[in-house]
């Protein structure tokens, strides 16, 4: 059994403030965890990327979101079972380490870290574009630098600072999308005062070529386009390790995932495709949510949505930096990364892990500006399928961990996967199918994404296997 990342509360003896290197501290409050869990499933991809899915599948994109949402619910249930029994900042990587072997924890941990480092660059650039539009006196690269520096300082201050920033970022997203659903829903049913939207109505779901205007196959293509907007739903299980009551936090986040996806994803997309015909040119030109707001005659709809997207981008940056650093910390704890990654400050902050993640994030931002169509494109594509790899590893880890938990501490099974092991195997099969289907997708870059992601995964796996063999040899040599 490998060692797990440690948690020490601020008031406990060995982990009290003022003694550096004592591990992470319980600095996240229940309200922080609740909002991180709610806002974690609302990524900028929902606002920005949904238009391409609607253009591909029409109203049938609702089925694409429902399929991916169901898969995420199942995967989160499995992760919740393992994390409630053993809350840790390494989450699925630490569980894979124990359930499948050090090679699995090493590989998926570093791939996940790589994914979020690339996301830092993507989101910093997206936020900089919006800010430059508002204040053009500052160049785009300057805004990217400012945003990264501010959020780095926040994460370096304390985990409580991260939690507080994320509480407000996520709060704005939740309020905005809830208001959109309510206002749009009233317009769809023709009861919104002061708004005369002739094209709104449930008829948009079946007219203009039907519910599936491009055929049933478009549902699967839609799955490829929306699956990555769900990445981030696992963050509460990483953050729970620094909360006052980790088991309760994980249980609550796991149990609430169904309504969160149903309301924020399915609810908001339903409103969009009911307010406007799916083939409306405005959806392509302006984006789905801006077009929907414009159809209601809401003034400055584009700027309102830019503010909401910017909030989502900052939230994603904040969480991405936090998540990457905690994964690096966990890898350091288990000997899969330099030991400095596992050292913390007096406030329980893994400073080295944060700074290294930021440095690589800055490098990726540089590549985005200097080599957008070569180096940076490779980074984006080679990290694109990591979400599916993570979900697949969670499935196989849970199959093994259930037996381990039942043998060692059955009372810790406070969250149980439904219909075990059948739904676990079914989820794994769906993930493999999606990866296989992506290999046939040349129109939306699916094949390139899978092949490059598999290449990077293979390289990391080779390093993991070599490391494991070297460690085993040293252990044998030590016994002689």
């Amino acid at each position: 059994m490998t060692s797990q990342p440690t948690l020490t509360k601020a008031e406990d003896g060995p982990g009290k403030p003022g003694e550096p290197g004592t591990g992470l501290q319980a600095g996240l409050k229940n309200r922080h965890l609740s909002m991180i869990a709610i806002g974690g499933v609302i990524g900028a991809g929902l606002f920005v990327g949904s238009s391409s899915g609607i253009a591909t599948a029409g109203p049938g994109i609702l089925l694409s979101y429902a399929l991916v949402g169901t898969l995420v619910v199942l995967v989160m249930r499995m992760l919740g079972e393992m994390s409630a029994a053993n809350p840790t900042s390494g989450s699925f990587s630490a569980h894979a380490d124990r359930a499948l072997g050090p090679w699995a924890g090493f590989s998926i941990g570093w791939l996940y870290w790589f994914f979020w480092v690339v996301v830092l660059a993507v989101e910093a650039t997206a936020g900089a574009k919006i800010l430059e539009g508002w204040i053009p006196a500052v160049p785009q690269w300057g805004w990217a630098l400012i945003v990264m520096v501010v959020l780095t300082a926040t994460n370096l201050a304390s985990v409580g600072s991260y939690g507080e920033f994320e509480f407000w970022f996520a709060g704005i997203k939740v309020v905005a999308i809830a208001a959109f659903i309510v206002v749009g829903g009233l317009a769809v049913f023709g009861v919104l005062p002061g708004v005369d939207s002739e094209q709104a109505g449930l008829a948009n779901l079946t007219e203009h070529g039907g519910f599936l205007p491009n055929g049933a196959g478009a549902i699967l293509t839609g799955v490829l386009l929306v699956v990555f907007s769900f990445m981030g739903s696992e963050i509460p299980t990483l953050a729970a390790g620094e909360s006052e009551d980790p088991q309760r936090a994980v249980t609550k986040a796991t149990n609430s995932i169904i309504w969160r996806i149903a309301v924020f994803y399915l609810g908001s997309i339903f409103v969009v495709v009911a307010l406007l015909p799916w083939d409306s040119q405005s959806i392509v030109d302006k984006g789905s949510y801006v077009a929907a707001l414009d159809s209601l005659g809401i003034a400055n709809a584009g700027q309102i949505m830019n503010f909401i997207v910017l909030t989502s981008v900052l939230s994603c940056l904040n969480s991405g930096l936090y998540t990457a650093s905690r994964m690096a910390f966990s890898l350091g704890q288990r000997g899969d990364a330099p030991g400095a990654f596992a050292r913390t400050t007096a406030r329980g902050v893994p400073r080295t892990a944060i700074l290294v993640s930021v440095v690589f994030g800055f490098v990726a931002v540089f590549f985005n500006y200097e080599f957008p169509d070569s180096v940076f494109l490779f980074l984006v594509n080679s990290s694109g399928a990591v979400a599916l790899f993570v979900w697949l590893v969670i499935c196989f880890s849970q199959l093994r961990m259930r037996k381990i938990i039942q043998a060692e501490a059955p009372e810790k099974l406070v969250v149980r996967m439904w219909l075990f092991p059948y739904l676990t195997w079914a989820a794994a099969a769906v993930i493999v199918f999606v990866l296989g289907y992506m290999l046939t997708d040349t129109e939306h870059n699916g094949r390139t994404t899978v092949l490059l992601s598999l290449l990077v995964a293979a390289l990391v796996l080779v390093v993991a296997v070599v490391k494991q063999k070297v460690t085993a040899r040293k252990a044998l040599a030590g016994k002689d």
Side-chain angles (χ1 to χ4, degrees):
M1 174 179 171
T2 57
S3 61
Q4 301 294 336
T6 58
L7 168 70
T8 53
K9 290 189 177 183
E11 66 270 23
D12 292 342
K16 61 188 178 182
E19 295 182 10
T22 53
L24 303 178
Q25 296 177 1
L28 292 176
K29 300 176 181 178
N30 288 333
R31 66 182 177 88
H32 293 155
L33 262 294
S34 296
M35 195 57 74
I36 289 170
I38 294 172
V41 295
I42 310 174
L46 173 63
F47 300 110
V48 178
S50 55
S51 56
S52 59
I54 293 173
T56 299
I61 194 66
L62 286 167
L63 297 180
S64 302
Y65 274 103
L67 285 172
V68 179
T70 300
L71 180 60
V72 171
V73 167
L74 295 178
V75 171
M76 277 298 295
R77 187 74 184 183
M78 299 176 220
L79 183 55
E81 177 181 296
M82 296 184 289
S83 295
N86 182 27
T88 166
S89 63
S91 189
F92 51 84
S93 174
H95 303 320
D97 188 295
R98 186 177 181 196
L100 304 177
W103 63 270
F106 178 98
S107 301
I108 205 64
W110 278 113
L111 283 173
Y112 190 70
W113 179 86
F114 172 60
F115 170 85
W116 280 110
V117 167
V118 175
V119 166
L120 289 179
V122 173
E123 300 296 337
T125 303
K129 286 181 180 178
I130 295 174
L131 290 167
E132 185 189 31
W134 291 342
I135 308 177
V138 179
Q140 195 177 117
W141 65 265
W143 280 120
L145 179 65
I146 291 170
V147 168
M148 290 276 279
V149 168
V150 169
L151 292 180
T152 299
T154 300
N155 275 265
L156 284 173
S158 69
V159 68
S161 298
Y162 155 74
E164 199 63 32
F165 267 70
E166 192 57 26
F167 176 82
W168 291 106
F169 286 152
I172 292 172
K173 287 192 295 184
V174 169
V175 170
I177 203 165
F180 174 82
I181 293 172
V182 171
V183 172
L186 292 174
V188 168
F189 292 103
V191 292
L192 183 63
V195 172
D196 180 21
S197 181
E198 296 180 358
Q199 55 187 344
L202 296 179
N204 284 325
L205 300 177
T206 53
E207 294 179 355
H208 308 280
F211 186 71
L212 295 172
N214 296 323
I219 297 174
L220 288 177
T221 305
V223 166
L224 305 186
L225 296 173
V226 307
V227 66
F228 305 110
S229 66
F230 283 83
M231 195 64 169
S233 55
E234 72 290 335
I235 291 177
T237 64
L238 284 95
E242 294 176 83
S243 68
E244 297 168 346
D245 189 348
Q247 190 178 77
R248 177 177 176 273
V250 169
T251 303
K252 189 174 181 180
T254 302
N255 291 336
S256 64
I257 188 71
I258 297 177
W259 72 260
R260 286 185 278 133
I261 288 176
V263 171
F264 296 124
Y265 277 85
L266 293 179
S268 64
I269 293 297
F270 167 80
V271 168
V272 170
V273 295
L275 282 176
L276 287 168
W278 70 272
D279 55 356
S280 172
Q281 187 60 36
S282 62
I283 292 180
V284 177
D285 294 340
K286 302 176 182 178
S288 51
Y289 288 82
V290 173
L293 289 176
D294 268 344
S295 73
L296 298 178
I298 295 177
N300 300 312
Q303 292 303 323
I304 293 173
M305 191 50 61
N306 273 339
F307 173 74
I308 296 171
V309 171
L310 177 62
T311 303
S312 296
V313 163
L314 294 176
S315 172
C316 191
L317 269 171
N318 195 37
S319 290
L321 181 52
Y322 171 84
T323 304
S325 65
R326 267 41 177 195
M327 185 56 73
F329 170 83
S330 177
L331 289 166
Q333 280 266 335
R334 288 177 274 137
D336 290 336
F341 284 21
R343 286 199 284 270
T344 58
T345 66
R347 291 177 175 268
V349 174
R351 179 190 297 159
T352 303
I354 291 175
L355 292 177
V356 170
S357 300
V358 171
V359 167
F360 276 88
F362 275 126
V363 170
V365 169
F366 170 77
F367 287 146
N368 194 6
Y369 286 108
E370 292 296 321
F371 313 105
D373 299 321
S374 54
V375 180
F376 187 71
L377 187 62
F378 170 81
L379 291 177
V380 172
N381 285 331
S382 61
S383 64
V386 167
L388 293 170
F389 295 164
V390 167
W391 296 347
L392 195 60
V393 166
I394 289 173
C395 291
F396 291 127
S397 297
Q398 192 261 337
L399 288 169
R400 174 70 179 137
M401 280 297 291
R402 167 66 74 90
K403 297 178 181 178
I404 295 175
I405 298 170
Q406 284 180 325
E408 295 183 357
E411 71 281 359
K412 291 186 176 181
L413 279 172
V414 294
V415 175
R416 288 176 178 266
M417 177 60 184
W418 307 297
L419 297 177
F420 177 82
Y422 307 108
L423 278 182
T424 301
W425 280 112
V430 170
I431 295 168
V432 172
F433 174 78
V434 171
L435 285 168
Y437 187 76
M438 286 180 70
L439 289 173
T440 69
D441 175 45
T442 55
E443 182 181 355
H444 301 97
N445 220 26
R447 177 183 295 177
T448 302
T449 296
V450 172
L451 291 177
L452 289 179
S453 295
L454 284 173
L455 173 63
V456 173
L459 292 174
V460 174
L461 187 59
V462 168
V463 175
V465 172
V466 170
K467 177 183 177 299
Q468 188 170 340
K469 288 185 177 181
V470 170
T471 302
R473 287 177 182 174
K474 287 182 178 179
L476 287 174
K479 291 181 180 180
D480 293 339

